[in-house]
Amino acid sequence: MHLNTQAIVCAVLGHGEHGAIARLMTHEAGLLPGYVRGGRSRRLRPVLLPGNMVQAEYRARVPEQLAQLSVELVHSRAPLLAERLPSTAIDWLTTLTAATLPEGQPYPALFNTLEAVLSAVESANSARGWAPSVIRYELLLLAQLGFALDLSHCAGGGDAGDLAYVSPKSSIAVSRAMGAPYAERLLPLPGFLTGGDAAPGWEQIAEGFRLTGYFLARDILTGKLADICETRERLIERLARAG
């Protein structure tokens, strides 16, 4: 196996005295692990930071073998690690990706979106500018793993142009009129997820995180994976303080 491609660093684990096993998100092959010789050295530690874009070269004699991985920095997001909100967002996005995706399966849409969200975190003037993108990434990840929410029509046949809720059972949107009598049992659907409100306020952003959080916890982040929810909760707490 030989692959030379750009990749996003998602997780790094020390291995042996000086090496590291890095899990990178690639466009061609999805999440791929590899052994980086000297990965914990002074030279490579700043390269193998979650969120960084690297040029990665994987080499393995057989597909079942852990590949030898060499990396060169393409774009560093290290300066963001000194800022609490951006660093927490990067931590959550990369942790979620590394923890949930099966290895060796291509998810080009996730790769492209992850890089776009990381770039938004890096360039937006405030967290309000990038927080909705984090929610959209969570929705996409749910969909790519087979747990898509259907936000295109009303589950009860109501007005598809006035969707206001999501059924926690069917994962399908519900219109305002059809859902009003059952509002306490439904999840609010913020307008920016259905095409409106291009610049949502903090209340809608909070609703978006509650929506995706419900389905992530129900369908994906179960068992041992539930432990990573602490990082997500920390991000939401810091976003609330920022708002």
Side-chain angles (χ1 to χ4, degrees), residues 50-87:
N52 280 358
M53 179 71 78
V54 299
Q55 188 68 32
E57 185 172 14
Y58 290 87
R59 290 184 179 274
R61 292 182 179 179
V62 293
E64 296 77 17
Q65 181 184 35
L66 179 64
Q68 296 290 315
L69 173 60
S70 59
V71 294
E72 294 182 6
L73 184 64
V74 173
H75 180 71
S76 175
R77 294 189 169 98
L80 294 177
L81 301 183
E83 303 178 37
R84 296 184 68 189
L85 252 179
S87 65

Side-chain angles (χ1 to χ4, degrees), residues 89-113:
I90 292 172
D91 189 12
W92 168 241
L93 290 163
T94 54
T95 297
L96 176 65
T97 302
T100 60
L101 295 187
E103 293 177 351
Q105 296 189 23
Y107 293 96
L110 278 174
F111 173 87
N112 292 335
T113 304

Side-chain angles (χ1 to χ4, degrees), residues 3-10 23-28 30-32 47 49 51-58 69 71-75 77 111 114-115 118:
L3 177 64
N4 194 338
T5 186
Q6 290 195 354
I8 302 167
V9 180
C10 287
R23 303 178 75 204
L24 313 182
M25 184 63 175
T26 71
H27 185 276
E28 298 91 338
L31 192 70
L32 278 182
V47 177
L49 291 176
N52 280 358
M53 179 71 78
V54 299
Q55 188 68 32
E57 185 172 14
Y58 290 87
L69 173 60
V71 294
E72 294 182 6
L73 184 64
V74 173
H75 180 71
R77 294 189 169 98
F111 173 87
L114 177 58
E115 174 57 18
L118 291 171

